Structure formats: C-alpha cells, structure tokens
Amino acid sequence: MRNYFVEIKDLVVAEQVGDKSNVVYKVEWFYVCEDDVASVIVTTSKTLQLDVTDLSDFVEFDSLTKEQVIGWVEETLTENDIVELKAELDKKIEEHNMRLRTRHFPWATTP
C-alpha cells in the first residue's frame, strides 16, 4: 500500500513586512510516498511562494502549527498537481524496485 502526504521542510521568513515581523514568505515542502510493500520512502521537493501583500489573516510565527502550514500547501494543489506528484513518486519507487545503478562501460578500463 502507498501512502502519499505533504511534509514541511523549512519556512523562509521575511524579518519585517509592514508592521508584522517574521512573516512566512516561502514554504519549502516535500510530497512524500511511503510504500509498505517495497519498504521505501521517496520524496519530491517543492516550494510555495506566499503572497504577503495582504496580511489580514496573519498568524504570529510562534503560533503557527504544522497543520496550518500543510493546509496552505494543500490549498494550492489542484487535482492535476496531485496526479502528477503521485506519478513522479511512483516512478521513483519503480526505479528503486528495478535496483538501478551506474556501471562503467564494458570497454572502459577501470581505474
């Protein structure tokens, strides 16, 4: 079984925007797939640029929760985005299952 989810990597903050401090400007996040059958976890890294021109719903940095920030990311994802992210991660798992590796050419002399 495969389980897909968003995980937050980092929050990039602007020290000051208007009268607000520590304003989240970017969310660096991963889309994650855990595959129980292959016993593997794969990720793809993304960045969400936030609009900081309207801070009417501003939440103090120290009051933010993981769920809030994940919600910001998930609100921006379309159904098509999710299909594409899942396909990208599924391909990584397929490549993992094929046990891909880089090898020297058979005609090359090894160092």
Side-chain angles (χ1 to χ4, degrees), residues 16-32:
Q16 196 74 32
V17 176
D19 63 343
K20 308 293 186 199
S21 59
N22 292 319
V23 176
V24 178
Y25 184 73
K26 289 183 186 178
V27 178
E28 296 176 352
W29 58 281
F30 294 111
Y31 201 64
V32 181

Side-chain angles (χ1 to χ4, degrees), residues 4-10 27-32 34 43-46 66 69-70 73-74:
Y4 302 88
F5 56 93
V6 171
E7 190 64 53
I8 303 304
K9 178 184 175 205
D10 285 308
V27 178
E28 296 176 352
W29 58 281
F30 294 111
Y31 201 64
V32 181
E34 293 178 335
T43 64
T44 186
S45 180
K46 304 291 180 186
K66 178 179 179 179
V69 178
I70 288 174
V73 171
E74 290 177 340

